């Protein structure tokens, strides 16, 4: 009887954890204007939680905020761990006040104390300015201008300031409507880099610092294997037919595909 009750309690806890994650995505992400696959939001939440589990410290950063859809996920992690998220954007499509309001509605009145917004072109911001303000970020999202020159610059900037324990999420890679992004990332990775690709998850390429790339890749695979979203179910089905169905080599590095 005790074993039966314990088993049911564990099932209930797992179910509630899943509900909490789904609730967070629906209320904190999907209500904010922008473009983001639900599975990518879920894996990002998983990655940020994993960083906390293994003791990876640091602030966070996003280039290209728009209304803050992806930014809110980073902010949620920052709030929980007493960090700061730096958002860099021209804010020509959504003013700073709009972003602030979206963050307040999604994450509460205290959200403003955990982020800072810099208005301007990322090409005019130096690595030194970023390091002086937030140190070396543990997570950087790149989703600014999508032309070749801008993306290449943002990738270089992110690599320069990223923590040795950190990870980068580059948006719109392999999107046929953003060929400049594809060209920039391919050229960026053409020569040996401090960061290397580890996973491609629904429109975002994740690149980890070389020193922890294998660890991130293993952790992300474990996240996918444990998840119950349709993409993860398909991942588990495909792996039965060989790893080449869920992992490809890109610029000399194994990259998970989900």
């Amino acid at each position: 009887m005790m074993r039966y009750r314990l088993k049911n309690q564990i099932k209930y806890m797992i179910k509630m954890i899943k509900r909490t994650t789904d609730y967070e995505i629906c209320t904190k992400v999907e209500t904010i204007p922008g473009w983001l696959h639900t599975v990518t939001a879920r894996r990002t939440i998983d990655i940020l939680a994993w960083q906390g589990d293994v003791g990876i410290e640091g602030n966070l950063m996003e280039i290209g905020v728009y209304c803050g859809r992806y930014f809110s996920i980073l902010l949620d992690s920052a709030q929980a761990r007493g960090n700061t998220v730096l958002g860099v954007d021209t804010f020509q499509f959504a003013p700073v006040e709009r972003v602030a309001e979206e963050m307040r509605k999604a994450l509460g009145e205290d959200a403003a104390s955990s982020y800072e917004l810099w208005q301007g072109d990322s090409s005019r911001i130096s690595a030194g300015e970023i390091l002086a303000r937030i140190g070396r970020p543990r997570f950087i999202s790149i989703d600014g201008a999508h032309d070749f020159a801008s993306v290449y610059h943002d990738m270089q900037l992110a690599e320069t300031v990223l923590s040795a324990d950190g990870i980068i999420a580059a948006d719109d890679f392999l999107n046929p409507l953003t060929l400049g992004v594809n060209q920039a990332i391919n050229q960026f990775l053409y020569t040996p880099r401090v960061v290397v690709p580890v996973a491609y998850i629904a429109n975002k390429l994740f690149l980890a610092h070389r020193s922890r790339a294998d660890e991130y890749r293993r952790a992300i695979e474990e996240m996918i294997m444990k998840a119950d979203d349709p993409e993860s179910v398909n991942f588990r089905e495909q792996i039965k037919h060989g790893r080449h169905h869920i992992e490809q080599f890109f610029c000399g590095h194994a990259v998970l595909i989900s």
Side-chain angles (χ1 to χ4, degrees), residues 58-61 130-131 134-140 161-163 166:
N59 294 310
L60 308 90
M61 175 181 171
I130 294 170
L131 294 172
I134 61 170
R136 293 195 175 276
R138 60 181 164 96
F139 195 108
I140 300 175
V161 302
L162 185 70
S163 161

Side-chain angles (χ1 to χ4, degrees), residues 98-141:
R98 172 67 184 279
V99 177
E101 176 61 15
E102 294 291 351
M103 295 307 99
R104 186 195 64 77
K105 289 191 296 184
L107 296 166
E109 297 292 342
D110 295 336
S113 64
S114 296
Y115 71 85
E116 184 173 335
L117 300 176
W118 286 3
Q119 186 166 6
D121 192 313
S122 59
S123 66
R124 298 176 180 273
I125 296 174
S126 69
E129 289 175 299
I130 294 170
L131 294 172
R133 177 62 189 91
I134 61 170
R136 293 195 175 276
R138 60 181 164 96
F139 195 108
I140 300 175
S141 166

Side-chain angles (χ1 to χ4, degrees), residues 186-205:
N186 274 282
Q187 186 159 326
F188 174 80
L189 291 172
Y190 185 75
T191 56
R193 291 289 179 178
V194 172
V195 295
V196 300
V198 294
Y200 178 78
I201 303 173
N203 216 42
K204 287 189 188 290
L205 181 68

Side-chain angles (χ1 to χ4, degrees), residues 10-120:
I10 292 172
K11 283 183 177 180
Y12 176 76
M13 290 172 64
I14 293 172
K15 189 175 183 180
M16 289 308 295
I17 290 170
K18 178 184 178 297
R19 282 181 179 175
T20 300
T21 302
D22 288 343
Y23 175 79
E24 288 173 347
I25 292 170
C26 290
T27 61
K28 297 179 182 178
V29 178
E30 294 183 352
T31 60
I32 302 171
W35 303 269
L36 176 64
H37 292 281
T38 299
V39 66
T40 313
R42 286 174 171 162
R43 290 300 83 79
T44 301
I45 291 170
D46 289 340
I47 291 170
L48 292 167
W50 177 82
Q51 287 185 329
D53 290 341
V54 299
I56 294 176
E57 300 293 338
N59 294 310
L60 308 90
M61 175 181 171
E62 179 165 54
I63 298 174
V65 177
Y66 186 46
C67 288
R69 194 165 194 168
Y70 199 63
F71 188 80
S72 70
I73 296 176
L74 309 189
L75 179 55
D76 187 53
S77 176
Q79 281 187 291
R81 297 181 58 191
N83 300 142
T84 296
V85 188
L86 174 62
V88 178
D89 200 303
T90 59
F91 297 104
Q92 65 188 97
F93 301 112
V96 171
E97 295 76 16
R98 172 67 184 279
V99 177
E101 176 61 15
E102 294 291 351
M103 295 307 99
R104 186 195 64 77
K105 289 191 296 184
L107 296 166
E109 297 292 342
D110 295 336
S113 64
S114 296
Y115 71 85
E116 184 173 335
L117 300 176
W118 286 3
Q119 186 166 6

